Amino acid sequence: MSAEQIAFWVFAPISVGSAIGMLLQRNAVHAALLLVVNLVTVAVFYLMLDAPFLFAVQIIVYAGAIMVLFLFVIMLLGVDREEALLEPLRWQRTGAVVLGLAVLAELVTAIHAGVGFAARGPAVFAEGASTRALARTLFRSYLLPFEATSVLLIVAAVAAMVLAHRKAPAPPAEAATTEPEELEVAP
Amino acid sequence: MRTPVAYFLVVSAALFTIGTVGVLVRRNALVMFMSVELQLNGVNLALVAFSRLHGDLTGQVLTFFSLVVAAAEVVVGLAIIVSVFRRRRTANVDDLAELRW
Amino acid sequence: MVALDLVWLVPTLPLAGAAVLLFAGRRLGRLAGWLATATVAASAALAVGIAARLLDLPEAERTRVVHLFEWIRAGSFRAAAELRVDPLSVTMVLVVTVVGALIHLYSIGYMAEDPRIGRFFAYLNLFVGFMLLLVLAENLLLLYVGWEGVGLCSYLLIGFWFELPSAAAAAKKAFVTTRVGDTALLVGIALVFFRLGSLDLSRVLDPAVAALQPSGVFTIIALLLFAGAVGKSAQVPLHVWLPDAMEGPTPVSALIHAATMVTAGVYLVVRTHVLFELSGVALTVVLVVGLVTALYAALSAIGQDDAKRVLAYSTISQLGYMFVAAGMRAYAVAMFMLVAHAAYKALLFLAAGSVMHGTEQETDLQRLGGLWRRMPWTAATMAAGALSLAGVLGLAGFFAKDEILAVASGTGRGAVWALGTLGAFCSALYIGRLVSLALLGRPRSDRALHAHESPPVMLLPLAVLAAGALGLGVLMTDPRTGTLPAFLAPVLGEVPHGEAGLPKGVLVALSQVTALGGLGLAWYLYGSGRVEWLALRERLAGVQRLLAHGMYVDDLYAAAVDRPLRAAAAALAWVVDARWVDGLGNGVGRLTQALAGAGRRVQTGLVRTYALAFLLGAAVLLVYVGVRR
């Protein structure tokens, strides 16, 4: 067994396990942390699949920025909120699990039929698997989508500010006092 | 000896499925959102795996874009959750059921 | 002498009068009556002129078809607006216009106080217009238009005082009953077209048609046409509407239900007699129906207490005699009876109207009496009419009825003669009873006591008609060489002549015995004061009731036809329509609501259930795609 294979068989269970764990956690913060674990394992998979740039970006953006954002909001909304165990909708859980397993089975069948469990892919990438090659493809063939996504990011940032904005409360009526009061920062 | 690409695809399918079930089963809006991110990750993994299978970098490029868009999406989505929370004081999606019969 | 081409004015003038009066009648007030009378009188004058012109022409050329305009042309079917001028139609036109004009004049006085007088004269003119159209029509479809038109006017006029529920009901009854006949007539007309290829009288009266072989088709056609006549001329079994039609104003009864509309049936049979002769049995049917009706109605008339109802049944009976004549192929005799009857029956009705006018609308014979003192002119003219009807020698009615019985006897129809004579006796009896109870003796009520004579505008027509009732016999001195039969011969043929039966003199003597006997008996019972007829009535209460109710034919119809139809209608309305049809409609609505009610539960508003649905769909889709590959 090569190192790569060992790595796979170590990280694959961690990945699936952390995912399932995230599913089962009642505490939101715990779930978020488990998700971080999962994201890191996925990053490792990227590395194994000859995508070093994505490995880095995954950790920086996903695990680093997005999950932090999630944690911020969880704190904002109340860190100790625990989800009730009782499921009000009768068939929801059963249905979800059954259908989920069915879909999984279908997908595995499709993989087997389509790709086959023996395929490994070419030994070397056509243009090489380096970040340089990726950059070349990205900035040549996909320049327009690239610029579009930059616009998208700006729009998203502005949208978030607008959505989360709260009007400052009016100053109290007894501002007749001559002494300037300490400004209260609106929460 | 590398691992067959199909194994990665199986993992990706598993992640996707777990994410889906998570969306269905959890009631906390934030955890639901996190499950959606899990789904996205599964899909990204599949993209990269296929890229590896065909020796074509297009898959990785797509993953890159998917990542960026996911980030933007999280930003907006969380902003929505926050403002809904401010209004309704709840993070339970079952409480947001006005568009019903 | 008037050019024959001007004949189109004859029906058009009254129709125009009707149009004017319908729109401006209210404003004209009493003037409406004079206008209406003027139009009919003008038509009468024209008719006289046309008749004179016709007489000027040699016998063979006395038929003219005046083309007005192309009306219908559909494939092989052609019906043009054409009028036929020939001796028969001219005779009818003269009857309708002259009697019509007199009755219009009379109505000016009779309806003077009615607020809707304009409407009345409009309808009256409209009726005359349609009736003239009927008798002048060159093709059967145009005749049918006139036929329906007079039916409509009859309905409008019977129900003129529509606030009275009895009048409205009577109008409806008249219309519905004649409808039965009208429908048969329409089918008959259609069959005529199928058999002969055209509805023109020129075709029907074509000698080529008369030379055809008799066959079943013609029997059916003739019987259908006769059914129409039965309805319109109130023969048994479709006679029930005429007694009730007395609800209308008396001039209406005189014009429509004595002189003109009811004679349309006789005219139809006489006009299309060629078709009847092409059938073996049709004429026999006509004869039998006429005879049965004549006898039945004469008997029923004896038991009526309302003066107008006596006259109504009398009309039914007299029309029956006309059909008897037609059934024996003595068409000219039937036509003369039509003319004479128009005179004396209209006279009797108008006289009855005069009585009503003078006694504040009293028509019950039990409450009249002694009117000869208070209303001498009315009484005299009424008596003249009565004598004519009874068939007293030398009067118009004698020539009519006697000739019919003579033909019956002469052609070997002994039974017809016997029953006809019996009917004549009853006729004399009922008319004698009417006159005795109304005019003779002492007034039996306040209204009769304080009766007053009618104004001259009403008395003049009475006088003219009385002259006719007495003197029209001159037209029928002989069934073959008399003025009228000779005039009509080119169209109607010769009156059948036979030597069977009793000699003429004996027949006349017997008829007088019958007439005078009936009148005498009536006078003895009711007028002489020697018999307590009230007590007699009590003792024969059963018979009296039977006759008064027209032998319960009406009640039979009410039970056998009316009630089942009403029940069926109620069932259809309340069960089929209200429950099933509406139920079906409502049921669809309810089903939709139920489905929607169940269906809307899908909209839970919960994102998670929607997501579950997505997953389900995705799973199915994956299976589908997988299987396809």
Side-chain angles (χ1 to χ4, degrees), chain A residues 87 89 92 95-96 99-100 103 106, chain C residues 606 608-609 612 615 619 622-623:
Chain A
E87 167 66 74
L89 302 173
Q92 189 74 4
L99 284 173
V103 169
E106 286 163 3
Chain C
L606 296 170
R608 300 200 293 137
T609 52
L612 188 61
L615 189 58
L622 276 171
V623 169

Side-chain angles (χ1 to χ4, degrees), chain A residues 94-111:
Chain A
T94 332
V97 169
V98 165
L99 284 173
L101 286 172
V103 169
L104 182 61
E106 286 163 3
L107 287 171
V108 170
T109 319
I111 293 169

Side-chain angles (χ1 to χ4, degrees), chain C residues 26 50 109 137 141 216 530 602:
Chain C
R26 205 174 308 168
I50 289 176
L141 195 61
R530 288 187 200 141
V602 172

Side-chain angles (χ1 to χ4, degrees), chain C residues 5 63-67 82-85 138 202:
Chain C
D5 291 331
T63 304
R64 168 89 131 257
V65 174
V66 177
H67 180 89
E82 287 170 340
L83 300 180
R84 185 185 190 82
V85 179
E138 159 64 3
S202 307

